[in-house]
Amino acid sequence: MSSNKQKTVLVAGGAGYIGTHTTVELIEAGYEVVIADNLSNADLSAVRGVEQIVGRSVPFVEVDCCDTEALRSRVFERYAFDSVIHFAAYKAVGESVAEPLKYFRNNLDSLLSVLSLMQEFDVHNLVFSSSATVYGQPEQLPATELTPRQRANSPYGLTKQMSEDIIQDTVAAIPFLRAIALRYFNPIGAHPSALIGELPKGVPNNLVPFITQTAAGVRKELAVFGDDYDTPDGSCLRDYIDVVDLARAHVVAVGRMVAATAEKREDRERYEIFNIGTGTPVSVLELVHRFEEVNGVSVPHRLAERRPGDVEKIWAATDKANNELGWRAERNLGDTLRAAWAWEKRVRGL
């Protein structure tokens, strides 16, 4: 295997929010990257933003990762790589409740295509974009990697549970394959350069883009779903992780698997799971007020009915990622929210 192949990563769904930030961190860590994305929930301008940050062009293929034949001919036959990071999935909890079949078809088919082609082309390492939604509403908090998975609260969460099971069974069946599932908590923020950030198409499904768009006057007001949860202020509790910290976790995960393969490490599990969060719970209302405070802006908001699919409270135990992966969250919440606002202002020309 050539060293070039070992240092090249396919980022499936790499034009999206987390994919672009991860691509930057991979390149800055010395990896070559190929991005594959169908642009269904992303924009080519995000790839251009990545290229501005890293000062070079990045190979990009517009392709649907569910289309195995297209992915084979346009990506796997054209480029040599030893690792894949899989981001190619729909991710809106509320939308998944309304359109479950759309989520099952896309999120599972894209993974099945990638895994089958990894087997066919002898690609050894997979980092999977999983989610804290696999825990449902845990009986005990914080959630550890050994916390039993509850029935997911949404079809989106269920696709992540099913995907993890598919990967585990596939790794067991293919001797050369290694995989790491990173269970994200709530990614927020933007790159400090303000050249890339979260750019949802249409009405945002995630909290922080709705906050920034409301602060910018794009939205009239923010709806806070639920004020009667069993939490200190009645709104949901979440673990908000800076997207740059999250991106770094993918780089560390790739390096861990590449090293294990090269060293023929038999003492390390070939399928591993890590929580990626801060370990600190923050309520929705607390986040809104913190955003207003650090940025000196007002975010008009109102309390609304609970939203189907939402978990009441969840945050991460991060000891395993800290100790075994050698990763920890470094950016503080204030800096993260300032970066999110800087990105929004740049997008809006403010």
Side-chain angles (χ1 to χ4, degrees):
M1 184 185 302
S2 70
S3 59
N4 184 52
K5 180 177 178 180
Q6 285 183 316
K7 293 291 286 184
T8 303
V9 182
L10 170 64
V11 184
Y17 174 44
I18 303 171
T20 49
H21 288 81
T22 299
T23 296
V24 167
E25 297 302 313
L26 284 165
I27 291 171
E28 291 185 345
Y31 290 91
E32 298 294 322
V33 175
V34 177
I35 297 174
D37 200 299
N38 66 357
L39 301 180
S40 65
N41 195 35
D43 193 279
L44 202 53
S45 64
V47 179
R48 301 293 168 251
V50 169
E51 292 176 333
Q52 279 187 265
I53 293 169
V54 300
R56 51 182 279 198
S57 63
V58 179
F60 170 78
V61 181
E62 185 173 348
V63 63
D64 188 341
C65 292
C66 295
D67 186 338
T68 307
E69 291 307 314
L71 198 59
R72 175 189 288 110
S73 63
R74 300 183 58 197
V75 178
F76 279 78
E77 289 181 352
R78 288 180 56 194
Y79 299 96
F81 40 82
D82 193 53
S83 303
V84 178
I85 302 178
H86 184 278
F87 294 115
Y90 296 141
K91 62 179 184 178
V93 168
E95 183 185 53
S96 78
V97 174
E99 300 183 69
L101 295 180
K102 172 182 176 179
Y103 273 68
F104 291 130
R105 184 174 298 281
N106 181 79
N107 293 7
L108 298 179
D109 279 0
S110 65
L111 176 63
L112 293 170
S113 290
V114 166
L115 284 171
S116 64
L117 291 169
M118 288 179 70
Q119 181 178 20
E120 181 179 340
F121 286 85
D122 193 34
V123 179
H124 288 199
N125 308 305
L126 174 70
V127 180
F128 177 65
S129 166
S130 193
S131 166
T133 57
V134 302
Y135 295 118
Q137 178 58 69
E139 293 178 2
Q140 291 186 316
L141 288 166
T144 77
E145 290 82 355
L146 297 178
T147 295
R149 298 186 323 189
Q150 305 291 335
R151 164 74 187 187
N153 284 37
S154 67
Y156 164 74
L158 188 54
T159 67
K160 293 301 185 182
Q161 290 181 338
M162 295 168 73
S163 294
E164 286 190 1
D165 293 343
I166 289 167
I167 293 167
Q168 184 171 17
D169 287 347
T170 305
V171 167
I174 302 174
F176 65 74
L177 190 62
R178 290 181 182 272
I180 290 177
L182 299 181
R183 290 177 175 167
Y184 316 158
F185 281 68
N186 287 70
I188 62 170
H191 194 269
S193 67
L195 289 169
I196 55 174
E198 192 165 6
L199 188 63
K201 291 190 174 181
V203 179
N205 288 297
N206 293 337
L207 176 59
V208 169
F210 219 114
I211 290 175
T212 60
Q213 289 188 15
T214 303
V218 178
R219 308 284 164 194
K220 180 182 176 182
E221 63 182 2
L222 167 73
V224 175
F225 297 108
D227 66 343
D228 58 350
Y229 287 106
D230 182 21
T231 61
D233 62 16
S235 65
C236 292
L237 285 175
R238 294 289 182 268
D239 185 335
Y240 296 101
I241 173 75
D242 188 284
V243 68
V244 176
D245 281 336
L246 174 59
R248 287 192 300 102
H250 295 79
V251 181
V252 175
V254 169
R256 178 179 176 86
M257 288 186 294
V258 168
T261 299
E263 297 163 10
K264 297 182 171 56
R265 291 283 297 270
E266 301 300 332
D267 61 326
R268 187 173 292 168
E269 293 291 328
R270 290 192 297 114
Y271 174 62
E272 298 181 291
I273 296 167
F274 296 94
N275 283 342
I276 304 297
T278 65
T280 302
V282 176
S283 79
V284 172
L285 285 171
E286 187 180 350
L287 191 77
V288 173
H289 297 319
R290 185 85 171 110
F291 180 90
E292 292 178 318
E293 175 191 331
V294 301
N295 291 305
V297 294
S298 174
V299 180
H301 57 278
R302 63 178 173 84
L303 300 174
E305 293 294 315
R306 295 186 182 192
R307 183 173 57 177
D310 279 345
V311 169
E312 179 173 83
K313 49 191 169 184
I314 187 167
W315 63 93
T318 62
D319 306 47
K320 186 180 179 186
N322 299 161
N323 298 328
E324 294 186 29
L325 203 56
W327 170 94
R328 67 181 59 249
E330 295 177 354
R331 294 174 61 79
N332 68 58
L333 184 59
D335 288 343
T336 300
L337 294 174
R338 276 186 280 268
W341 181 228
W343 160 249
E344 186 70 41
K345 288 192 292 184
R346 180 180 173 276
V347 169
R348 305 295 168 190
L350 300 176

